[in-house]
Structures are given as C-alpha cells and as structure tokens.
Amino acid sequence: MIFLSTVVCFLCVNSLMASETYKAGVLQVQHKELSELPPSIHNAGDTGLDILVLPPLESTANYDEAIDIVSSAAAQAGLYVVAHMYEKARCQLDYESVRSTLVFDRKGAITAVYRKAQNSAANCTVSDSDLVTFATDFGVTFGVLMEEDMMLYDEKHLKGVKNFVMTGDWQAEVSFFNAAKFAPSWSYITNANLVSTSGIYAGKAGLKTGADKLAVAELHKNGDHDAPMVPSVSPSSATFPGEDLRQFVVRPLDLEASSQGYKETVCHRSFCCEFYVKTGAKEKMPESSYSFAAFNGKRPFSVNHNIGTQICLISVTEKPNTFFERVSITANFTKQNSQYPIIQSATVLPTENFKFENGVNGIPHQVTLEMIEAQNIINFGIFGKYATSKLENNNVFEENSTDSTQNEIYDYIFNEDVQEFFDYVWIRLRILIVVVSIYILEMM
Ligand SMILES: *[C@@H]1O[C@H](CO)[C@@H](O)[C@H](O)[C@H]1NC(C)=O
Ligand SMILES: *[C@@H]1O[C@H](CO)[C@@H](O)[C@H](O)[C@H]1NC(C)=O
Ligand SMILES: *[C@@H]1O[C@H](CO)[C@@H](O)[C@H](O)[C@H]1NC(C)=O
C-alpha cells in the first residue's frame, strides 16, 4: 500500500513538474519601430519562450500593416505575442484615436483584443467593461491589462486570474501611480504573475528580470511562488529625489526623539497616519531629513478618472543614510483590502524584517506596514484607494478645472499657520468651557 502510494505520488509530482511552469519574455526597450520587430520576435522564439510582450508601438499610420507584420513574425517564431498599437478608427465623418492590445497565438491568429479610446470624448469606441482574457495551449489563462488598469480596477474585476500580460505607456501625474513604480506593489498584493513592459513579476516573489533588452523569466502557472520578497523599487536617477508632497500634510521627523523611539500622528481631512520610528545610534555622517506625510482626497488619473486616495508616507528629500531600528505606519482606511505597500529603497531590504498586515488587531480597515533594521529608505508608506470615479465627458479634469481651486482651499485649511490659529482658538474655548461649567455647578 505504502509502495503504491509512493509510486502514485512520484507520478503525480513528475507530471506536475513537467507542466508546472511557462517561459515569458518582455522586450524592455522604449517604443519600437515596426521594422525592428520581426528580428526581435524571432530571437525570442529561439530562446524557447511561450509568450512575449512587446513594448508599445509608435503611433503608426498603417495599423493593418502592423498587424500583418506582427502576425507573420509570431507564426514564424511559434510563440504568443502581445502588442500594443494605436489605431485611427473611422467614427461618423471623423476619426477616433484608439489604443488596442492585441494577442497573437502561435499560428499568428489574433486570439484577444482589448481596445480603449485614447481620449474621453470618443463617440464610437466603447471600452470593455469586463476583463479581457485568453486561454493558451500551455494551459494558462491570461488577463489582459493596460498600465492604468492596475490602478482603475478592483480585485473583483480580476476574477481570480493568476497570470496577466500588461502593456501601454501611461504617464500618471502622481509618480507612485506609474506602472514601473506601482507594478511591484500590485503584483505583491494581487499575488499574480505579471508579464509587463516594466518587468516580469511573480506575485509576492517579486521582480524576476534584470535590465536585459530581452528579459526572460520562468513562471509558475498557478501563481505559486518561491519565497516572498519585499515589494520595493530601486530608484533610477529619473525617479529621485522623492515625491512631490505639496498636497500632503507634512511633519518633519525629529531625529533627537527618534533615537529613543517615538510616535507621531499626522492627519489630513480626518484620515490619520500613526508613525513610529526608532533610529540607530548616531553615526558620524549627517543624518538625512525625513518627513512624515498624510494625504486624503481625490487625485486626477488617466484621461477621465479621479481616484480617491489615502496615503501615509515617510519620505526623504536627499540621499538617505539613516539607519532605522524600527519603522512602522498604521492607519484606518476607508475601504477594506485596497491598500498597497509603497517602498522605495536604494538597497534590497531583507524579507524577514518586513511586515504588511491588513485587519490588524481584528480592526478590519486597519493596515500596518513595518520594517525592522532598514537602511537607505527613500519612500516608505501605504497607498489606499477608496474610490474610482469616472468623470463625465463635460467634466474632464482640465488644467483650470474647479478642482484645483478646491485643492487650494484645502491646502489653505491645512496650512500650518491656519491650524495654529485654530489650536489657539480651541485652547481659549476650553478655558471658557471650564469656567462656564464651574459656574453652572456652583448654581446647582
Ligand atoms: C462626438 O460627438 C460630439 C457631439 O455629437 C462631437 O462634437 C464630437 O466632435 C464627436 N467626437 C468625435 C471624435 O467624433
Ligand atoms: C483606528 O481605529 C481604532 C479603533 O477604532 C483606534 O483605536 C485607533 O486609534 C485608530 N488608529 C488611527 C491611526 O486612527
Ligand atoms: C488657465 O488660467 C490661466 C490664468 O487664468 C490662463 O492664462 C490659461 O490660459 C488657462 N489655461 C487653460 C488651459 O485654460
């Protein structure tokens, strides 16, 4: 009996081993000329890839020609190819600009199409409201995403799919929201494989590719992974220095106090972030100046969306050199389970010292991010999303829209001087209340 089950087990494991993984690749170059594509696709085919994601193509006058070229290259190389193209689609008497992600199978046939109008005033192109998926001959079903979708869609929309291909070249106003920075956090929280133009991620196991022109990785089909990694982004010169915190409420980190360990609470519009820091023994180098920051409100995103965001952040403005014995952030978010860790660090951080927890102490909306013994931290925080609202066509976020004046008013209210004034009034008021209550008690 034992022998039999051992044999069965062995067979099971063997057959699983045979088909457990697939090989994905990404061409990590900026926009590609159409003529350069076939050699790159053939090259990818030679390395035995199952699926290849191309960088977004230049806006091309000849959409049909682009499809023909990619299709025949995919067929010759015998692999799945994902391409992002721009199309001028006829709309009544005019043309409409459309972004399409097309998936070609090993025979060069189009097996999935995901289209979106490029601007919000499109009349003929309706974006899919459902996740576009396709099945492959290696037994994996993929979801198709454009870069901004990571931010726009909720977990429910992803329907439990464990493998995604993603292309596009979205530039968000808030730098956290850009795919290159957000992909590690998204992939960590979703715990799904992400084959994207900003790298190949294996869920919690993180980035699997380097800076090669053709980045290749072997991924587990069911999204099971190796040991988890801290979902951090290392800064390129383009992304440093840190964040634009003008819309945040900001308090400086007190280095004197932090050598003993101290707590600080920073609030913005009734959303509060509780920070705890303990820095290491004073070094000879001058310590970097960190800030605690909190933000709660709408941020414009993509052509016609607003995203309700809640952000807690510890951020540094110059080269980081502070050693944190312990650093943690806790906050109560409005929406459950829509929070992501934001970690930017100049070095790889050890996983065993990292903690990101949702629903801590049985409080469902409470999220904690903690790191022990961390150095070279540039940004460390939690990003929460509580709403995504689509703006109507006549209400598109423009430079001079009313929202910016609203923001100015909010900024004014949360300006330190104004807050000091309110504090002053409140202290006076308290004295008055005490005096009045004593008076009333005397009367009774
Ligand atoms: C869409 O329709 C509106 C109103 O009919 C028109 O003003 C606009 O030019 C159209 N846009 C395109 C891209 O055809
Ligand atoms: C979060 O909520 C809990 C329970 O309501 C409260 O004790 C805690 O102080 C809150 N934390 C913050 C940072 O507001
Ligand atoms: C925005 O307002 C400024 C000053 O009121 C004006 O100079 C500018 O042209 C406006 N921009 C747009 C896009 O309307």
Side-chain angles (χ1 to χ4, degrees):
M1 195 60 198
I2 289 171
F3 173 75
L4 194 65
S5 59
T6 311
V7 167
V8 168
C9 236
F10 181 75
L11 287 177
C12 280
V13 168
N14 240 10
S15 70
L16 275 177
M17 292 291 269
S19 61
E20 220 179 349
T21 62
Y22 65 95
K23 224 169 153 188
V26 181
L27 269 188
Q28 298 193 119
V29 285
Q30 284 300 309
H31 293 259
K32 229 28 195 157
E33 288 287 332
L34 200 48
S35 58
E36 299 167 38
L37 281 181
S40 301
I41 294 173
H42 291 154
N43 183 18
D46 291 343
T47 61
L49 290 189
D50 292 302
I51 187 162
L52 173 71
V53 173
L54 300 178
L57 286 175
E58 294 285 2
S59 191
T60 167
N62 201 339
Y63 181 71
D64 295 332
E65 187 194 349
I67 290 182
D68 283 347
I69 290 177
V70 178
S71 163
S72 59
Q76 277 165 28
L79 77 175
Y80 286 81
V81 176
V82 182
H84 190 68
M85 302 180 179
Y86 296 86
E87 174 191 358
K88 285 231 175 310
R90 190 143 209 127
C91 179
Q92 289 141 27
L93 297 173
D94 211 347
Y95 285 95
E96 219 163 69
S97 188
V98 178
R99 297 186 291 148
S100 319
T101 297
L102 303 175
V103 183
F104 300 85
D105 68 14
R106 291 191 209 268
K107 297 194 181 74
I110 293 174
T111 172
V113 181
Y114 177 31
R115 299 171 91 227
K116 273 190 196 187
Q118 192 156 17
N119 64 49
S120 55
N123 297 326
C124 300
T125 311
V126 183
S127 300
D128 287 283
S129 56
D130 249 2
L131 178 70
V132 173
T133 59
F134 64 96
T136 55
D137 62 6
F138 50 98
V140 175
T141 296
F142 286 91
V144 185
L145 299 176
M146 295 192 198
E147 290 189 343
E148 68 278 10
D149 294 339
M150 284 190 295
M151 195 59 72
L152 295 178
Y153 292 151
D154 281 338
E155 201 182 331
K156 204 167 72 204
H157 182 91
L158 305 176
K159 295 174 175 164
V161 171
K162 281 290 166 205
N163 293 273
F164 291 90
V165 287
M166 182 174 84
T167 66
D169 51 355
W170 189 255
Q171 287 299 318
E173 276 122 285
V174 184
S175 80
F176 297 135
F177 297 174
N178 278 320
K181 279 197 183 175
F182 191 55
S185 305
W186 184 90
S187 164
Y188 184 88
I189 292 300
T190 316
N191 201 15
N193 292 323
L194 179 67
V195 184
S196 80
T197 31
S198 47
I200 300 179
Y201 294 88
K204 286 197 164 36
L207 185 65
K208 287 286 163 199
T209 46
D212 299 342
K213 203 172 137 225
L214 174 64
V216 175
E218 195 151 345
L219 296 168
H220 291 264
K221 289 179 182 176
N222 54 7
D224 277 347
H225 306 299
D226 322 326
M229 295 286 290
V230 177
S232 73
V233 186
S234 48
S236 64
S237 51
T239 58
F240 193 78
E243 287 307 308
D244 176 3
L245 298 178
R246 273 175 298 181
Q247 299 203 34
F248 288 61
V249 173
V250 178
R251 298 251 180 292
L253 185 154
D254 179 349
L255 278 168
E256 280 302 312
S258 70
S259 59
Q260 304 298 316
Y262 85 115
K263 258 188 194 172
E264 172 89 86
T265 303
V266 182
C267 301
H268 184 205
R269 297 174 198 159
S270 79
F271 168 70
C272 292
C273 304
E274 199 179 274
F275 299 94
Y276 175 85
V277 281
K278 184 165 187 333
T279 52
K282 266 226 174 310
E283 291 157 41
K284 280 169 215 78
M285 279 187 291
E287 300 266 356
S288 338
S289 56
Y290 279 87
S291 304
F292 299 123
F295 178 82
N296 182 17
K298 277 190 224 161
R299 298 305 287 260
F301 183 76
S302 122
V303 189
N304 53 349
H305 286 88
N306 266 337
I307 292 193
T309 61
Q310 294 174 320
I311 301 174
C312 298
L313 193 67
I314 299 179
S315 188
V316 74
T317 43
E318 74 265 26
K319 199 170 158 30
N321 58 11
T322 302
F323 177 76
F324 291 98
E325 271 180 25
R326 193 174 141 217
V327 51
S328 81
I329 302 175
T330 299
N332 296 328
F333 288 83
T334 303
K335 196 173 172 186
Q336 210 170 335
N337 298 325
S338 288
Q339 289 79 35
Y340 302 84
I342 301 169
I343 300 166
Q344 248 192 303
S345 161
T347 46
V348 176
L349 300 167
T351 323
E352 57 277 16
N353 297 347
F354 166 80
K355 207 161 75 183
F356 183 74
E357 287 179 341
N358 229 311
V360 207
N361 307 327
I363 304 168
H365 298 224
Q366 184 165 316
V367 179
T368 291
L369 175 65
E370 186 183 81
M371 197 82 221
I372 295 166
E373 293 175 5
Q375 208 164 1
N376 299 320
I377 286 180
I378 296 161
N379 283 306
F380 182 80
I382 308 171
F383 157 69
K385 182 176 76 171
Y386 60 82
T388 308
S389 53
K390 194 163 181 177
L391 302 175
E392 295 307 320
N393 287 354
N394 57 3
N395 189 18
V396 177
F397 220 96
E398 274 158 5
E399 271 176 62
N400 286 354
S401 70
T402 49
D403 280 66
S404 61
T405 53
Q406 256 172 22
N407 278 340
E408 273 159 32
I409 293 168
Y410 279 128
D411 284 352
Y412 176 71
I413 292 172
F414 288 96
N415 180 300
E416 300 252 336
D417 291 347
V418 178
Q419 282 186 343
E420 254 170 45
F421 170 71
F422 280 125
D423 283 348
Y424 174 81
V425 170
W426 173 230
I427 289 166
R428 290 291 137 135
L429 207 63
R430 273 199 306 207
I431 294 172
L432 190 69
I433 290 169
V434 170
V435 169
V436 169
S437 16
I438 291 171
Y439 184 68
I440 290 171
L441 284 175
E442 294 272 308
M443 298 280 285
M444 289 171 17

